[in-house]
Amino acid sequence: MFPNTDQSTIHKGPPSLISDIITERQQQLDAVLHEISGLETVMDGIKNLHQQLVKKKDRIIQSMNVHKGLVSALWRLPTEVLSQIFDHCLPVPEDSRLSSSSRLEAPMLLTEVCRRWREVAVGIPGLWCRLTVESTHGDWYRNAFCYDSWLKRSQGRPLSLTLLCYVVDYSEDRLRRLLQPYSNQISSLSIHFSVNSNKPELLLTDLLALQELTVSMPNLETRPALAQSISRLSTLRSLKITEPWFLFDHLSAFNPVWAHLTNVAIAIFQSSGVLRLLRLCPNLSSLMIRTQIDDIEAVEPFTHTKLQSLHISVPTHPLSSLFNALSLPNLRALAVRYIQTWPHEEFKALLVRSKCPLEYLNLGVLVMITDEQRAEYFTLIPSLKVVPDPNRKL
């Protein structure tokens, strides 16, 4: 209720009463002024909030317009162009193992952007030709369904697979059943067996299109059966065995596959096995070999006409005999690791004898040559590039 301000109705009274009324009115005024001040503060806050919301609205509208433009542009791209873009989204094989659970990278990521992207991605066989399959203790049937769905999208294209067989019980049987419908598509295969793998040979049967194989064989008891399965791979051209180390006599178990190979990576105890392996592989273009035992022996001269790349790691210095025996007229790249004494004269004689178009000489951490030796190589082959090992400390 507001105070009375009509003078005609105000009751006349003694001064003390009027003074009391004035004091009361002052208190009322102070209270109202305080309320007004609080209300003004609230109104200023509301005004600021309104301004912020308006700015936020403007930014949202601007962002929507930008993204609408992008969606519109991407939507108008022909499927062929979008397919090329998707193909370049795939991770580099050396940097990533594609798995059906990799939802944060292509191709799975592409299927979750929008409906059209999913339809386009699922319809591109090339996006689904590389896969890592792992036999684990988890829900195998669910995982197998995902793997199978992935492989079906390859639509008969050549497959590059990595198999991780770390579960002992039924690991090979599971993977065999999963891959059976696609055995004629597998052109590249990398298999990592556990030391307790029971039947690794099951995964190397009926692979009629296999050209590249990388395999680890830590279980020596299963190695003969595995080697026999590899020997039947008539289409194989590249073989990389990451473990174990072999005696040369063990290599005969892989016959006749050696004669077909163009690329080999292997570890052999005897350093003389380099020359003997080259004799087994007349079509070899690239050889990466590690040896351990220095068993220098007299060897007959041998010419390999097709070898272009030789990468050899040796513990001591058996290379003198090897360089003296070899002629490599087509050699273009030579890499040497861990040798303690560099056979300069023998290497120079190899270059003269072979008349090879050597382009790169890559020397490992322990391999040292002098500037004078380097100059002699340049005299023989002016275009030769001597490349130091990246781990060498200068």
Side-chain angles (χ1 to χ4, degrees):
M1 183 175 180
F2 294 101
N4 189 1
T5 59
D6 187 356
Q7 294 184 3
S8 61
T9 61
I10 294 177
H11 178 71
K12 306 295 183 179
S16 58
L17 178 60
I18 296 174
S19 178
D20 292 341
I21 293 174
I22 293 174
T23 300
E24 179 183 359
R25 296 294 182 266
Q26 184 62 52
Q27 293 174 349
Q28 293 174 345
L29 177 60
D30 292 341
V32 171
L33 291 175
H34 179 73
E35 291 178 359
I36 293 174
S37 176
L39 181 60
E40 289 176 344
T41 300
V42 172
M43 292 176 63
D44 290 340
I46 294 175
K47 182 177 180 181
N48 291 334
L49 179 60
H50 178 266
Q51 292 175 346
Q52 293 176 11
L53 290 175
V54 169
K55 291 180 180 179
K56 186 175 181 180
K57 178 201 70 173
D58 293 340
R59 288 197 297 267
I60 292 174
I61 293 175
Q62 182 180 7
S63 178
M64 286 179 60
N65 293 334
V66 171
H67 285 83
K68 284 180 180 179
L70 291 175
V71 170
S72 178
L74 289 174
W75 190 262
R76 291 195 303 268
L77 285 177
T79 300
E80 294 77 10
V81 176
L82 205 55
S83 299
Q84 290 292 326
I85 295 174
F86 286 179
D87 184 63
H88 287 286
C89 291
L90 289 178
V92 178
E94 292 77 10
D95 297 339
S96 175
R97 287 179 174 176
L98 285 182
S99 171
S100 58
S101 61
S102 302
R103 312 196 74 87
L104 297 180
E105 59 184 0
M108 292 300 296
L109 180 62
L110 299 173
T111 66
E112 300 183 359
V113 175
C114 65
R115 180 182 299 177
R116 181 171 184 252
W117 278 33
R118 176 178 176 81
E119 292 174 352
V120 173
V122 170
I124 303 174
L127 296 181
W128 310 97
C129 291
R130 182 159 52 96
L131 178 64
T132 295
V133 180
E134 184 173 3
S135 180
T136 65
H137 290 289
D139 187 349
W140 169 250
Y141 294 102
R142 178 182 178 278
N143 293 339
F145 175 81
C146 295
Y147 291 142
D148 186 60
S149 299
W150 181 299
L151 294 173
K152 283 179 179 177
R153 294 171 182 175
S154 67
Q155 300 181 26
R157 300 289 182 88
L159 295 173
S160 178
L161 304 181
T162 297
L163 308 182
L164 306 180
C165 308
Y166 298 147
V167 177
V168 177
D169 296 335
Y170 312 113
S171 181
E172 292 85 2
D173 294 298
R174 286 175 170 181
L175 293 174
R176 172 66 179 166
R177 288 193 296 270
L178 170 67
L179 300 178
Q180 178 64 39
Y182 310 99
S183 58
N184 291 338
Q185 293 178 236
I186 302 175
S187 64
S188 178
L189 185 61
S190 178
I191 313 179
H192 302 267
F193 292 108
S194 74
V195 69
N196 296 316
S197 293
N198 295 320
K199 296 178 288 184
E201 66 277 4
L202 290 180
L203 297 176
L204 291 174
T205 57
D206 302 325
L207 299 177
L208 303 181
L210 187 65
Q211 297 185 17
E212 301 177 1
L213 175 63
T214 299
V215 61
S216 64
M217 297 185 287
N219 189 340
L220 298 182
E221 294 182 0
T222 62
R223 185 174 61 185
L226 196 55
Q228 188 175 17
S229 296
I230 294 175
S231 71
R232 301 191 184 103
L233 300 173
S234 60
T235 59
L236 194 65
R237 296 296 178 264
S238 176
L239 175 61
K240 180 179 181 181
I241 303 177
T242 57
E243 60 176 330
W245 290 73
F246 288 86
L247 293 172
F248 180 78
D249 294 340
H250 296 155
L251 301 184
S252 60
F254 293 87
N255 284 329
V257 76
W258 297 117
H260 308 301
L261 298 178
T262 60
N263 181 28
V264 170
I266 196 170
I268 302 178
F269 278 115
Q270 306 101 317
S271 54
S272 61
V274 179
L275 192 61
R276 300 169 72 180
L277 185 61
L278 286 173
R279 292 180 185 275
L280 286 176
C281 306
N283 293 303
L284 204 60
S285 174
S286 174
L287 174 62
M288 179 179 291
I289 190 165
R290 292 176 293 155
T291 66
Q292 281 191 338
I293 299 176
D294 182 7
D295 59 340
I296 301 176
E297 59 183 36
V299 290
E300 296 181 1
F302 175 70
T303 299
H304 198 292
T305 60
K306 295 187 177 181
L307 191 68
Q308 297 184 30
S309 175
L310 176 60
H311 186 299
I312 183 168
S313 300
V314 289
T316 53
H317 51 280
L319 281 185
S320 298
S321 296
L322 180 65
F323 284 174
N324 282 332
L326 273 178
S327 293
L328 303 172
N330 206 28
L331 187 66
R332 297 179 180 275
L334 174 65
V336 181
R337 299 286 186 276
Y338 309 121
I339 187 173
Q340 297 178 5
T341 303
W342 175 247
H344 167 65
E345 293 298 333
E346 290 82 358
F347 175 66
K348 190 170 64 171
L350 170 64
L351 295 180
V352 174
R353 182 172 60 254
S354 300
K355 298 179 181 179
C356 58
L358 190 66
E359 299 173 1
Y360 297 97
L361 175 61
N362 194 319
L363 302 177
V365 177
L366 300 179
V367 184
M368 304 297 295
I369 64 173
T370 65
D371 292 339
E372 291 75 12
Q373 292 172 340
R374 189 189 304 258
E376 291 185 47
Y377 304 151
F378 290 155
T379 300
L380 294 173
I381 306 178
S383 60
L384 177 65
K385 295 181 180 179
V386 180
V387 183
D389 188 281
N391 295 320
R392 181 194 297 272
K393 294 182 179 179
L394 300 177

